[in-house]
Amino acid sequence: MDSWLSVDVTTANVLSRDNRGSVRGVKTVWGQLALEASQVYIDDGTGGPAKSPYAGTTIEKLPDKVLLNIFSYLSHKEICSMSRVCRKWRTIAYNTSLWYSVSLRPEISGLHVTSLDFLLSLISVRFGSSLRYIELPIELITHTVLHELANRCPNLTHMLLDFSTAMQLHDFSELQAFPTKLKYLCVCLSEVIFMEGFMRKIYNFINGLEIIHLIGTYEKVEEEEEEIYEVINVHKLKSATPNLRVINLYGINFIDDSHIDAFSSNCIQLECLAVNYCSKVTGSTLKTLFQRSKRLRCLLMNQTNLISEYLMQVEWEKSSIQELDISGTDLSTECLIDMLVRIPNLKFLSAGQLNGFNDTVLSSFMEQGNVRNLIALNLDYSDNLSDEGLYKFLSRYGHQLQGLSLAGMPHITDQLWNTVLPVLNNVIIMVMGTQERLSGNVLVDQLMDGIATNCPKLERLELKWDPDNLRFSDKSQKAIDIFRVKCLKLKCLVLSDGRYYEIVKANFERADRLTVVRTTTCCSVSNYYLLHNYKDLIFN
């Protein structure tokens, strides 16, 4: 080997930290550690190679705790493969500390367990007291499995039960035990299977829940109207869960205002309520919700059928609301002004896809509302906003924003962004551009240079512009280099697939930042990362 290298455990640790979350990075570490010492040399001071003091050191001679640390960067599928190498690696792979969070849903990057007996063996041998989180598909949700989890995994606090593909439930008549320390429960509902028989069995075990997710089948619904079944009894569920802080009801076709009212009548600790894509929610019980839930600070109602009159009846000035998502609703200009000037401490506002959101609303918000605490603003696809109105707002309050999303508006071009970038020095998340073909072009080199110069705290960026609208020169690599070097906190850069995407991706990969650049076909950036309860709201 021509190059003179020395590889030790310290080097391995540095490599693994630099490549955390990257399978390719882990394999790089693996390859470095597997170098035979007979091929590793150092400079002996005479100009010639001499044998390294680490000669004879191979991965087999590493201490168990170092191997365990390396294994922790692998997925469970890879850990299972590594366990077949030798007895020592099998022992490492069985270490319960590697199995604190487990998904058994193969369609969502989880392990494929072929039999119940094998799962029961895993629970007793591998999971044990270390298990904190588990995801179970319908075929593995049986009373035997739940009994074993309750008995063998006393520290299990987070559980996901996926009934979404169910056409028939197992028999739970013999279910006598269930994990009792759960703080988080996510239930993916079926379209047609009634859950009450199962839920009745677990009500006595889940009164300590703080976070509940009920996930519907919104993405599977077809256009034609079908009979809607209330497959879970929300009114009974709320009586069994008085300690809920976070409630997420996502894409459930039977959820309406009465269910919101039911939760508010019993959950006095409620801090965050999300009913995104629940089309039957109109807002008729929001006034009562705020009167009962004094701690409610986050309300997410994206793509619901809110009625302006109901929202104008809410006593916003007495509420503790700080985070609000009303995107994709049909609220009037009058209602938007009424809300925004009365909310006393708004920090997060998502109001995209609203025809009623125009310059008048933005101006009223500036002049009569309290904008001093606003840190996140999403106005995607609000075509009735002018670039002049946005410039006035951003030049005044842009310095305090950490998240800004102005996508989907063809008239908001790189010219406006280049003008306001000097003010956005605290921004962490930015989304800009539109997928529509523009008559003009976007000078992306100049834009990237402006971002690099003014936004050192940037962590997430998405450019939605069509690749054919991006114009860059032969010196584009220099602009990308400057951007990469100055925005060192960048975790995610999303671009439309095309020539510029390939250039940027190659640039970051050469600098060993392999997972930063992504394409819009598989990734999107959102201000939701800035929500106070973001980690509690994640599911799937």
Side-chain angles (χ1 to χ4, degrees):
M1 190 171 181
D2 294 333
S3 57
W4 302 341
L5 303 168
S6 66
V7 179
D8 58 11
V9 174
T10 304
T11 308
N13 286 335
V14 171
L15 282 167
S16 60
R17 283 197 298 271
D18 288 346
N19 293 282
R20 180 179 287 276
S22 167
V23 174
R24 181 175 172 182
V26 172
K27 290 177 180 177
T28 301
V29 177
W30 217 269
Q32 290 279 16
L33 290 173
L35 284 173
E36 292 291 344
S38 59
Q39 295 178 314
V40 180
Y41 299 93
I42 58 173
D43 190 345
D44 63 359
T46 64
K51 245 186 179 182
S52 164
Y54 301 101
T57 302
T58 63
I59 195 167
E60 288 80 9
K61 295 184 180 180
L62 289 175
D64 286 357
K65 69 177 184 179
V66 176
L67 279 173
L68 183 62
N69 186 44
I70 294 172
F71 270 56
S72 70
Y73 292 90
L74 301 172
S75 69
H76 285 136
K77 288 182 179 179
E78 291 171 318
I79 290 174
C80 290
S81 297
M82 295 302 171
S83 69
R84 302 189 186 103
V85 173
C86 62
R87 288 183 180 179
K88 182 177 181 179
W89 286 21
R90 183 179 180 83
T91 302
I92 298 294
Y94 272 41
N95 191 298
T96 56
S97 66
L98 296 175
W99 300 87
Y100 68 91
S101 177
V102 179
S103 172
L104 301 178
R105 297 191 295 167
E107 71 279 7
I108 309 181
S109 302
L111 289 175
H112 182 210
V113 175
T114 54
S115 70
L116 287 174
D117 289 339
F118 181 49
L119 174 56
L120 297 175
S121 174
L122 284 176
I123 293 173
S124 61
V125 176
R126 295 199 191 182
F127 299 168
S129 60
S130 294
L131 187 67
R132 300 291 191 278
Y133 176 91
I134 191 168
E135 297 182 1
L136 294 173
I138 175 60
E139 60 271 16
L140 299 179
I141 306 174
T142 68
H143 72 273
T144 308
V145 171
L146 296 175
H147 282 173
E148 196 72 2
L149 287 171
N151 295 328
R152 302 276 187 175
C153 306
N155 297 313
L156 182 62
T157 57
H158 291 62
M159 175 181 280
L160 183 149
L161 303 176
D162 189 352
F163 295 95
S164 61
T165 59
M167 299 305 292
Q168 181 179 341
L169 289 184
H170 293 282
D171 180 12
F172 293 102
S173 59
E174 298 182 23
L175 182 62
Q176 302 297 330
F178 192 78
T180 57
K181 292 187 178 180
L182 289 183
K183 299 297 181 184
Y184 169 108
L185 177 63
C186 180
V187 180
C188 300
L189 303 175
S190 167
E191 292 180 287
V192 294
I193 298 299
F194 294 92
M195 302 288 301
E196 192 52 33
F198 169 74
M199 298 300 295
R200 195 184 305 117
K201 288 288 187 178
I202 70 170
Y203 283 146
N204 292 332
F205 301 98
I206 60 173
N207 53 19
L209 278 184
E210 296 180 4
I211 303 162
I212 191 163
H213 293 252
L214 299 180
I215 309 303
T217 54
Y218 169 81
E219 295 177 356
K220 299 179 182 178
V221 173
E222 297 179 359
E223 290 295 327
E224 57 263 16
E225 288 288 331
E226 296 182 0
E227 188 174 356
I228 296 175
Y229 301 102
E230 191 164 334
V231 298
I232 193 168
N233 192 322
V234 171
H235 296 274
K236 290 185 179 179
L237 176 62
K238 63 96 178 180
S239 300
T241 53
N243 297 307
L244 290 176
R245 294 185 300 102
V246 178
I247 299 173
N248 180 22
L249 312 174
Y250 180 89
I252 307 176
N253 53 11
F254 64 81
I255 288 291
D256 57 26
D257 300 281
S258 68
H259 300 105
I260 295 177
D261 185 62
F263 275 120
S264 68
S265 67
N266 195 50
C267 303
I268 60 174
Q269 312 281 353
L270 190 61
E271 300 174 1
C272 175
L273 174 64
V275 289
N276 292 340
Y277 294 91
C278 294
S279 59
K280 288 195 171 184
V281 172
T282 64
S284 63
T285 59
L286 288 182
K287 182 177 180 180
T288 307
L289 171 68
F290 281 105
Q291 289 172 345
R292 292 171 174 170
S293 305
K294 299 297 184 181
R295 299 184 180 184
L296 186 66
R297 64 185 174 202
C298 178
L299 182 59
L300 309 178
M301 302 180 290
N302 191 348
Q303 300 293 334
T304 55
N305 282 307
L306 296 178
I307 296 176
S308 297
E309 288 75 14
Y310 293 147
L311 269 70
M312 293 174 72
Q313 293 171 9
V314 176
E315 297 174 313
W316 296 104
E317 61 277 4
K318 297 181 181 179
S319 73
S320 301
I321 200 72
Q322 297 178 3
E323 301 166 343
L324 181 65
D325 186 352
I326 49 175
S327 296
T329 57
D330 197 23
L331 297 177
S332 65
T333 298
E334 180 186 8
C335 175
L336 292 169
I337 293 174
D338 179 75
M339 289 170 53
L340 294 179
V341 301
R342 289 198 288 140
I343 298 177
N345 187 27
L346 194 61
K347 294 184 177 180
F348 178 105
L349 176 62
S350 183
Q353 305 176 56
L354 292 177
N355 290 329
F357 206 112
N358 52 31
D359 288 355
T360 305
V361 175
L362 207 55
S363 177
S364 299
F365 187 29
M366 282 194 293
E367 302 304 327
Q368 303 173 47
N370 180 12
V371 195
R372 292 189 301 273
N373 297 317
L374 190 72
I375 63 168
L377 180 64
N378 178 349
L379 298 175
D380 290 350
Y381 300 95
S382 296
D383 293 328
N384 291 326
L385 282 168
S386 68
D387 52 355
E388 181 182 355
L390 285 168
Y391 172 74
K392 288 180 180 178
F393 184 89
L394 295 175
S395 59
R396 192 165 165 181
Y397 296 105
H399 65 280
Q400 66 192 46
L401 292 180
Q402 296 178 23
L404 179 60
S405 185
L406 299 177
M409 293 181 279
H411 60 288
I412 306 300
T413 64
D414 55 323
Q415 294 180 358
L416 175 65
W417 282 103
N418 283 321
T419 305
V420 299
L421 278 174
V423 186
L424 303 177
N425 50 354
N426 287 310
V427 74
I428 296 173
I429 299 171
M430 278 197 302
V431 183
M432 60 182 73
T434 177
Q435 295 174 337
E436 298 180 40
R437 292 292 296 273
L438 304 177
S439 55
N441 294 317
V442 175
L443 303 178
V444 71
D445 287 350
Q446 182 180 348
L447 183 63
M448 296 294 266
D449 187 62
I451 295 172
T453 303
N454 298 292
C455 308
K457 299 179 182 180
L458 190 66
E459 295 181 8
R460 301 179 185 276
L461 173 65
E462 181 170 357
L463 306 182
K464 288 182 176 289
W465 282 295
D466 186 287
D468 291 337
N469 283 122
L470 298 181
R471 289 293 174 269
F472 49 93
S473 66
D474 295 336
K475 298 180 180 179
S476 183
Q477 285 284 1
K478 183 178 180 181
I480 299 170
D481 284 337
I482 295 172
F483 172 74
R484 175 173 48 75
V485 169
K486 289 193 174 182
C487 296
L488 291 174
K489 295 184 178 181
L490 193 69
K491 300 175 182 176
C492 178
L493 171 57
V494 181
L495 300 165
S496 295
D497 197 1
R499 187 180 165 211
Y500 188 71
Y501 164 80
E502 297 296 339
I503 293 173
V504 176
K505 184 175 177 64
N507 185 291
F508 273 77
E509 287 184 344
R510 282 196 297 272
D512 289 330
R513 297 175 68 180
L514 307 177
T515 61
V516 172
V517 184
R518 309 169 192 182
T519 178
T520 52
T521 57
C522 59
C523 186
S524 64
V525 171
S526 166
N527 280 347
Y528 268 26
Y529 297 103
L530 297 173
L531 289 174
H532 180 79
N533 295 101
Y534 171 71
K535 291 183 178 180
D536 297 332
L537 289 166
I538 297 173
F539 63 93
N540 277 356

